[in-house]
Amino acid sequence: MDPGVRLMERIRARDVAAFESLYDGYHRLVFGIGLRMLGDPAMAEDLTQSVFMKLWTAPDTFHGGSFVAWVSRVARNRALDVLRSRAARPETELPCTDMPLDGALDEAVIARLDAAQVRDALASLPPEQRSLIELGFFGGVTHQELARRTGTPLGTVKTRIRTGLRSLRETLAQKVSR
Amino acid sequence: MNGPEEREAMLEQVALYALGVLPRPEAAGVAAFIASDPEARAEYDSLRGTVDAIGLVAEEPVDSARSARMKERLLARVRADVRDGVVARRRLGPNPGWLWATGLAAAAALVFSVVTVVQDVSLRGDLAAAQRRAATLQTQLAQTERVGQRDRQMLTDLVSPDARRYDVAQGTVVVRGDRVYFALSKLPALPKGKVYQAWTAPKGSSTMQPSLTFTPNSDGVAVIALPVDATRVGVVAVSVEPEGGSKAPTTTPTFVRPLS
């Protein structure tokens, strides 16, 4: 089981030691997502503080499943909120990542992956697929903006993202089954 | 959905939705599609976990001084929380915007001390402006978060495996917990001066009570959350009504769906 799941159970009982362990185990991930998305260490630090305080004050918002997947979504959504709040662009030009915080089918797979495996899997994608997926995940931009920034037709962007995500899914599944 | 090409295009959109690169209006339409189409739902479920995994690549060593500082601040607040006996479900955490606003306020306070010393009246104006901006930023962020939380709840409910789904010709009625949504994607265009209006009837009653009015987008898509307690609703319906809505349906309903 994802160690974060057990720690969250203890945090519900206001166990400070569990909170400390949770921070030790996951702050690099939360800070890293903040840094990649916001591009500023101070803001990433604020985001990390904010996410972990949310875990402490509202542990019931975690409903089980993979903790690492869940906390990644929380961090990404939080970073998007920050990008939105400071954006001069209209809402229709901002991406919506307000997706469910609850589980996905592959959570058991994610719980068995580490950063190096995912990096390897991403690196195995054709560069034109990988760059779109990474920019889409961390960039806080829409598919139209992806097309503009990369000079790629919108239809091609859609196809590359779909094909790339499907390939990534297969590669990750193979890595876990080995 | 008019044909295989349009359907394939929508399935392609599901991957974009899973990656989180669709703007809000399109995202709502795709969520409605996922809620009503098993193949789309399977595609979404399979890609969503993959997208979650991408976040792992961001994990990097954090400078030890920064790491220790963050931990110290967090633990100080957590211990104070425990010491004070505050088993909080309220939001204590400073969000980035809050700190941002606080930073501005702190900067303004610093400016204020200078003002006091040099008696510079123009700086007082700057201070007031900075304080107003800090307040505005705080309000904007709070609003953004409220909208985000509401939309996240809605999208979570729409694609949740444990939601109850009731098919209608124009899409799906989704019920999860005490919340009820219309995820409609095949609504005919409205005549000028008309809107769609939702209706609900309490359990055990056939009397329709007026609810929201709404207009679909140009593709016939509308995703709305009804402001009712779903556990008390027995029937939902939609009809075409004059702008501003009606007190009782004035046209043959577009659909009537018992929630059972």
Side-chain angles (χ1 to χ4, degrees):
Chain A
M1 186 196 283
D2 189 338
V5 177
R6 284 192 295 269
L7 291 170
M8 285 302 285
E9 286 169 7
R10 289 169 53 195
I11 285 173
R12 285 193 188 93
R14 321 314 287 162
D15 183 336
V16 177
F19 180 80
E20 191 171 356
S21 298
L22 196 79
Y23 174 86
D24 290 340
Y26 297 95
H27 78 282
R28 286 175 293 276
L29 173 63
V30 173
F31 182 86
I33 289 173
L35 187 60
R36 287 279 290 262
M37 294 186 70
L38 302 175
D40 177 73
M43 295 189 81
E45 187 172 326
D46 289 344
L47 179 133
T48 306
Q49 297 274 318
S50 169
V51 168
F52 277 93
M53 280 313 293
K54 180 186 169 82
L55 301 185
W56 174 256
T57 58
D60 292 339
T61 52
F62 175 61
H63 299 139
S66 163
F67 176 78
V68 70
W70 181 80
V71 78
S72 297
R73 289 174 217 155
V74 171
R76 189 183 180 214
N77 285 342
R78 187 62 117 181
L80 256 294
D81 285 343
V82 176
L83 291 174
R84 274 200 198 96
S85 70
R86 73 183 189 189
R89 289 173 286 166
E91 183 70 21
T92 52
E93 291 179 21
L94 291 167
C96 170
T97 56
D98 299 334
M99 281 167 297
L101 288 173
D102 287 345
L105 289 185
D106 286 354
E107 290 203 327
V109 173
I110 298 167
R112 293 161 59 194
L113 287 167
D114 60 34
Q117 287 175 309
V118 182
R119 282 196 194 100
D120 285 349
L122 270 170
S124 72
L125 293 178
E128 63 274 16
Q129 292 176 10
R130 184 179 67 240
S131 60
L132 285 170
I133 288 171
E134 288 193 314
L135 186 55
F137 188 92
F138 293 110
V141 294
T142 64
H143 58 325
Q144 289 104 334
E145 182 64 18
L146 286 172
R148 271 195 294 273
R149 287 194 189 183
T150 60
T152 310
L154 187 58
T156 307
V157 167
K158 293 179 180 179
T159 303
R160 284 178 179 169
I161 287 176
R162 187 186 189 194
T163 308
L165 286 179
R166 286 177 157 187
S167 299
L168 190 59
R169 181 187 62 202
E170 296 305 317
T171 307
L172 291 174
Q174 286 168 12
K175 283 184 179 295
V176 169
S177 64
R178 274 178 203 154
Chain B
M1 209 60 50
N2 293 328
E5 285 183 11
E6 192 183 346
R7 181 181 167 70
E8 187 59 21
M10 280 301 286
L11 286 170
E12 207 163 50
Q13 295 277 85
V14 170
L16 303 181
Y17 176 73
L19 186 58
V21 295
L22 288 179
R24 194 175 298 276
E26 282 183 59
V30 176
F33 177 56
I34 292 170
S36 60
D37 187 296
E39 188 182 349
R41 176 162 186 81
E43 173 91 347
Y44 171 74
D45 282 340
S46 70
L47 294 182
R48 184 63 211 280
T50 305
V51 171
D52 283 336
I54 296 170
L56 295 182
V57 306
E59 184 172 283
E60 295 285 354
V62 180
D63 166 66
S64 58
R66 184 185 297 279
S67 175
R69 183 173 66 240
M70 287 194 292
K71 184 174 179 178
E72 190 178 332
R73 281 166 54 193
L74 278 166
L75 287 176
R77 298 182 64 194
V78 164
R79 288 186 180 121
D81 192 24
V82 171
R83 191 173 54 242
D84 296 344
V86 181
V87 182
R89 290 298 180 268
R90 64 192 162 88
R91 236 185 101 204
L92 290 177
N95 55 51
W98 187 88
L99 283 180
W100 204 20
T102 307
L104 268 176
L110 183 62
V111 170
F112 184 74
S113 67
V114 174
V115 170
T116 308
V117 172
V118 300
Q119 303 283 305
D120 185 333
V121 175
S122 70
L123 282 181
R124 289 180 193 274
D126 292 345
L127 167 65
Q131 286 174 329
R132 279 196 299 275
R133 179 160 164 68
T136 303
L137 285 170
Q138 201 163 357
T139 305
Q140 283 174 346
L141 190 88
Q143 189 175 5
T144 302
E145 287 183 341
R146 274 198 302 276
V147 171
Q149 284 167 4
R150 185 197 62 202
D151 289 353
R152 273 172 208 143
Q153 179 69 67
M154 183 175 80
L155 295 172
T156 298
D157 290 339
L158 285 176
V159 302
S160 172
D162 62 13
R164 286 179 285 136
R165 294 181 169 75
Y166 303 92
D167 289 340
V168 295
Q170 298 78 14
T172 309
V173 178
V174 179
V175 176
R176 188 173 186 232
D178 60 0
R179 300 172 296 279
V180 57
Y181 307 92
F182 292 164
L184 308 173
S185 56
K186 300 164 192 167
L187 287 168
L190 286 160
K192 194 174 179 184
K194 301 287 186 182
V195 293
Y196 285 105
Q197 183 165 5
W199 305 90
T200 61
K203 282 180 178 168
S205 168
S206 58
T207 304
M208 285 292 181
Q209 297 173 346
S211 186
L212 295 174
T213 61
F214 61 96
T215 53
N217 70 10
S218 57
D219 296 323
V221 173
V223 183
I224 63 167
L226 298 187
V228 291
D229 179 348
T231 61
R232 298 181 179 182
V233 174
V235 180
V236 294
V238 165
S239 66
V240 176
E241 301 295 335
E243 279 178 349
S246 304
K247 291 183 179 175
T250 62
T251 63
T252 304
T254 309
F255 69 78
V256 177
R257 188 65 171 89
L259 300 184
S260 59

